[in-house]
């Protein structure tokens, strides 16, 4: 589990999907702030803020991230060009970069 | 997949708007103003065509200006930057090189798939049939593109808000990847030429396919394409005073507002 402090980012092109970008602020292995950007689609669009809020305060482990992202995807939201695993993947990519 | 209109007897009224060029801010504000009126039943379903003066870069709803756009280059070339209501990627809208359409209808419209991904193909069928009328064998390519001879000729983006569907997209008349990449950020300068070559390889235009562009003929072909695909009758109309007023308000509060443009 990464414990680095500071700001980090990553880009990840989903195979057959869209480009995901993430900016993270990490303190002691916990997400302090996160912004997900890219050329994907999400309906409703404003749900992106719920996703970012859910991920804030979450420790950077695959299990903890996956639990939050899965709960988000289980709600009435359509994401096109990336799935739950891609979002967890890019966050861990940024955290370990 | 075809839109299965329950019955032509439904006689759902459709309005046709053939607009000239406007600024990026006016264009995006007008699309949203129409959407809000259509869902409230204050305007009929609408097919609109428009252009961009000055040329502009539009960003998808989830994109970041800082990550996607060379703002200094845009400023130097007099190119506006706007954030769309729709997701998807950054698009360079050239004043001379593009015709844009928007399609606005209620989410409850008969035959429209609930899944956004499925509905792209249904709604894009109007464009595929339109290109056919121009003599171009076009095909829909998921997620949201239309190809001619294996190259992209139209990109599309959809939002569903307030109970309505807004889909807008590009009809590429001319493509200049060198100009495009002078305005967009590239990961590093070393690959700029490679990206330009990539666009030349993957993107085409009506000029490249037909040798010439008759903008009026393109619009007429697309009108016929949508009429056939959606089994509708389009009646030429105008924006209502209420739509114009809302567009002016949305332009000021949203599309031309720095807070919106730099939202992400």
């Amino acid at each position: 589990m990464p414990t680095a402090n500071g700001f980090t980012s990553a880009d990840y092109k989903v195979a057959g999907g869209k480009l995901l970008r993430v900016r993270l602020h990490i303190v002691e292995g916990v997400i302090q702030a996160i912004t997900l950007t890219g050329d994907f689609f999400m309906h409703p669009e404003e749900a992106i803020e719920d996703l970012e809020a859910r991920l804030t305060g979450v420790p950077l482990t695959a299990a903890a991230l996956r639990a939050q992202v899965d709960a988000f995807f289980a709600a009435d939201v359509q994401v096109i060009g990336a799935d739950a695993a891609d979002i967890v993947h890019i966050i861990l990519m940024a955290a370990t970069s | 997949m075809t839109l299965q209109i329950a019955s032509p007897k439904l006689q759902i009224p459709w309005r046709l708007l053939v607009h000239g060029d406007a600024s990026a801010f006016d264009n995006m504000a007008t699309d949203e103003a129409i959407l809000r009126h259509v869902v409230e039943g204050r305007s009929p379903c609408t097919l609109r065509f428009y252009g961009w003066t000055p040329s502009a870069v539009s960003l998808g709803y989830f994109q970041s200006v800082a990550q996607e756009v060379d703002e200094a280059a845009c400023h130097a070339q007099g190119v506006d930057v706007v954030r769309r209501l729709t997701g998807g990627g950054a698009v360079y809208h050239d004043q001379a090189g593009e015709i844009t359409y928007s399609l606005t209808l209620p989410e409850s419209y008969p035959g429209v798939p609930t899944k956004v991904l499925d509905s792209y193909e249904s709604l894009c069928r109007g464009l595929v049939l339109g290109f056919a009328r121009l003599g171009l064998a076009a095909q829909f390519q998921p997620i949201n593109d239309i190809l001619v001879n294996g190259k992209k000729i139209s990109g599309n983006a959809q939002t569903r808000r307030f109970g309505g569907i807004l889909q807008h997209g590009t009809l590429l008349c001319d493509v200049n990847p060198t100009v495009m990449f002078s305005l967009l950020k590239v990961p590093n300068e070393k690959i700029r030429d490679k990206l330009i070559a990539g666009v030349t390889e993957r993107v085409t235009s009506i000029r490249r396919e037909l040798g010439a562009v008759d903008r009026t003929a393109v619009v007429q072909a697309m009108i016929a394409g949508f009429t056939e695909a959606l089994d509708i009758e389009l009646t030429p109309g105008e924006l209502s005073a209420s739509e114009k007023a809302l567009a002016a308000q949305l332009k000021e509060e949203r599309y031309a507002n720095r807070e919106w443009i730099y939202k992400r």
Side-chain angles (χ1 to χ4, degrees):
Chain A
M1 168 171 150
T3 52
N5 292 322
F7 295 88
T8 181
S9 64
D11 294 350
Y12 171 55
K13 169 70 174 71
V14 177
K18 300 291 185 180
L19 178 69
L20 275 179
R21 297 173 182 264
V22 70
R23 283 169 284 168
L24 283 182
H25 180 205
I26 302 169
V27 174
E28 294 181 355
V30 173
I31 297 175
Q32 298 300 301
I34 177 168
T35 307
L36 281 161
T37 58
D39 61 357
F40 55 91
F41 294 90
M42 184 183 289
H43 308 275
E45 286 80 358
E46 286 75 13
I48 190 77
E49 286 160 24
D50 303 341
L51 176 59
E52 290 168 349
R54 270 182 184 279
L55 290 166
T56 303
V58 174
L60 286 158
T61 66
L65 294 169
R66 189 65 200 238
Q68 291 301 325
V69 175
D70 280 349
F72 172 79
F73 271 76
D76 192 16
V77 62
Q78 294 184 54
V79 182
I80 299 173
D83 63 19
D86 298 318
I87 292 170
V88 172
H89 176 73
I90 193 179
I91 294 169
L92 292 174
M93 248 176 87
T96 53
S97 66
Chain B
M1 193 182 311
T2 312
L3 268 187
Q4 298 296 328
I5 307 295
S7 156
K9 293 190 195 83
L10 283 175
Q11 291 292 332
I12 298 170
W14 274 80
R15 174 178 58 166
L16 173 66
L17 300 173
V18 181
H19 289 161
D21 290 5
S23 75
F25 314 116
D26 286 311
N27 283 339
M28 294 298 95
T30 300
D31 275 355
E32 183 176 345
I34 293 170
L35 174 63
R36 288 177 179 268
H37 279 73
V38 167
V39 297
E40 287 171 12
R42 298 167 69 195
S43 296
C45 299
T46 299
L47 172 64
R48 181 168 97 96
F49 295 90
Y50 55 95
W52 306 69
T53 297
S55 298
V57 172
S58 78
L59 290 186
Y61 182 85
F62 304 102
Q63 292 187 301
S64 142
V65 174
Q67 288 172 342
E68 304 294 336
V69 180
D70 183 338
E71 286 188 90
C74 287
H75 185 75
Q77 297 185 48
V79 170
D80 287 334
V81 177
V82 71
R83 177 180 302 282
R84 299 191 306 268
L85 194 59
T86 49
V91 180
Y92 169 59
H93 305 277
D94 188 82
Q95 184 184 336
E98 183 184 314
I99 299 168
T100 308
Y101 80 92
S102 67
L103 198 62
T104 315
L105 57 162
E107 218 171 348
S108 59
Y109 194 92
V112 177
T114 316
K115 290 264 179 219
V116 176
L117 198 53
D118 298 336
S119 64
Y120 272 117
E121 183 162 14
S122 304
L123 297 175
C124 283
R125 206 170 97 86
L127 301 172
V128 170
L129 295 176
F131 282 116
R133 284 170 188 264
L134 294 171
L136 296 173
Q139 59 194 108
F140 174 76
Q141 163 147 306
I143 298 171
N144 54 334
D145 292 334
I146 290 169
L147 310 185
V148 166
N149 288 326
K151 296 182 169 71
K152 177 171 170 173
I153 201 161
S154 165
N156 304 276
Q158 191 186 122
T159 184
R160 297 186 172 210
R161 280 172 208 251
F162 329 119
I165 298 174
L166 164 66
Q167 180 169 308
H168 47 203
T170 58
L171 305 166
L172 292 171
C173 297
D174 256 312
V175 176
N176 188 334
T178 308
V179 172
M180 187 177 122
F181 280 111
S182 74
L183 302 166
L184 300 180
K185 286 257 175 80
V186 295
N188 66 65
E189 283 306 317
K190 285 182 198 160
I191 67 160
R192 185 184 295 269
D193 288 346
K194 205 175 148 191
L195 289 172
I196 291 171
V199 167
T200 307
E201 210 172 284
R202 284 181 286 105
V203 179
T204 190
S205 66
I206 293 167
R207 182 175 306 281
R208 190 156 146 192
E209 298 300 326
L210 293 178
V213 183
D214 176 342
R215 293 175 71 95
T216 308
V218 172
V219 170
Q220 289 307 317
M222 297 303 155
I223 291 170
F226 278 113
T227 299
E228 185 185 343
L230 305 180
D231 192 15
I232 55 174
E233 202 168 305
L234 284 155
T235 306
E238 287 178 28
L239 287 174
S240 68
S242 170
E243 284 172 321
K244 284 182 188 169
L246 180 57
Q249 186 190 335
L250 289 167
K251 177 184 175 180
E252 188 186 322
E253 290 176 359
R254 180 167 274 192
Y255 295 100
N257 187 308
R258 290 184 61 86
E259 216 171 291
W260 170 263
I261 297 169
Y262 294 92
K263 189 179 169 74
R264 298 193 74 75

